[in-house]
Amino acid sequence: LGMLPASSGGIFIDGTELSTTNARSWQDQIGYVPQDVYLIDDSIEANIAFGIPAGERDIARIRDAAQIARIDNFVETQLPYGYKTVIGDRGVRLSGGQRQRLGIARALYHEPSVLLLDEATSNLDRETEESLQQAIEAISGDLTVLVVAHRLLATRSSDMIYVLDNGRIINKGKYNDVVDESGGLRTVI
């Protein structure tokens, strides 16, 4: 994310080293979804278009992001004021999975070129996670998606999986290369 400098070596993006002078332009291209999404006591719309003044929000983009994140149906059919519904402090009126999908919609609203999902599906039920993975697969040709996950199943559609242990890569490959027949981790050093 460019939040911390490298302790040794460097971080290169398309051959250019990340530095204090170009970090902001790099960060503007990243959609980041943490495991615990921060939500404000405001509307669904304000939370998706986080930081954008009300008069400058793109409603079509909000709806598109919500659709990709698979929260649109819930917002449009189950909330009394749709995208104008206030969700309470930290999204108290939503389930964990709904808060997570709202965080994903927020990241997608800003049309990033890189989407970083840091345990972003850990609060989702299997059905919602599957639906969301299908949506991410559909858009992954348009952006780079990085998934940090403890559950191997969350990485099954990845082009490349890197298995880390104590900061070292202990295996890499497609899902079938890093998982054994029982669904457990195949360790190769």
Side-chain angles (χ1 to χ4, degrees):
L1 296 175
M3 304 295 279
L4 300 172
S7 58
S8 64
I11 300 170
F12 291 82
I13 299 140
D14 293 333
T16 302
E17 187 167 11
L18 187 64
S19 67
T20 55
T21 58
N22 64 11
R24 188 68 203 151
S25 64
W26 166 245
Q27 291 164 342
D28 288 343
Q29 298 179 55
I30 299 172
Y32 174 61
V33 185
Q35 184 173 4
D36 295 314
V37 175
Y38 173 75
L39 299 173
I40 57 174
D41 187 8
D42 206 333
S43 67
I44 295 284
E45 175 185 305
N47 275 283
I48 292 175
F50 189 72
I52 307 296
E56 297 175 27
R57 295 177 190 148
D58 184 331
I59 302 305
R61 198 180 327 168
I62 288 170
R63 291 176 188 273
D64 287 346
Q67 180 184 20
I68 294 167
R70 302 298 198 251
I71 188 109
D72 60 321
N73 186 51
F74 167 74
V75 171
E76 294 168 5
T77 64
Q78 297 184 34
L79 294 179
Y81 305 107
Y83 290 92
K84 301 288 186 189
T85 303
V86 175
I87 60 170
D89 187 37
R90 302 190 60 75
V92 71
R93 295 186 181 113
L94 303 175
S95 72
Q98 291 160 344
R99 286 191 296 271
Q100 206 67 23
R101 286 181 281 162
L102 203 53
I104 293 167
R106 174 189 293 163
L108 293 171
Y109 174 82
H110 295 283
E111 298 178 327
S113 57
V114 176
L115 180 62
L116 176 57
L117 304 173
D118 187 359
E119 290 288 344
T121 61
S122 63
N123 291 324
L124 302 181
D125 60 70
R126 289 263 187 227
E127 182 179 324
T128 304
E129 182 178 18
E130 178 66 31
S131 175
L132 184 60
Q133 282 187 334
Q134 289 172 0
I136 290 169
E137 285 173 29
I139 63 168
S140 65
D142 300 328
L143 71 150
T144 300
V145 180
L146 300 172
V147 178
V148 177
H150 286 94
R151 289 192 327 220
L152 286 171
L153 200 54
T155 65
R156 75 179 175 282
S157 63
S158 299
D159 292 332
M160 180 63 72
I161 298 170
Y162 293 90
V163 181
L164 301 173
D165 185 26
N166 290 320
R168 292 186 45 226
I169 297 173
I170 61 169
N171 197 357
K172 68 179 182 175
K174 294 215 174 264
Y175 183 78
N176 291 336
D177 298 330
V178 299
V179 175
D180 64 24
E181 295 78 34
S182 69
L185 183 62
R186 181 182 299 148
T187 305
V188 179
I189 297 180

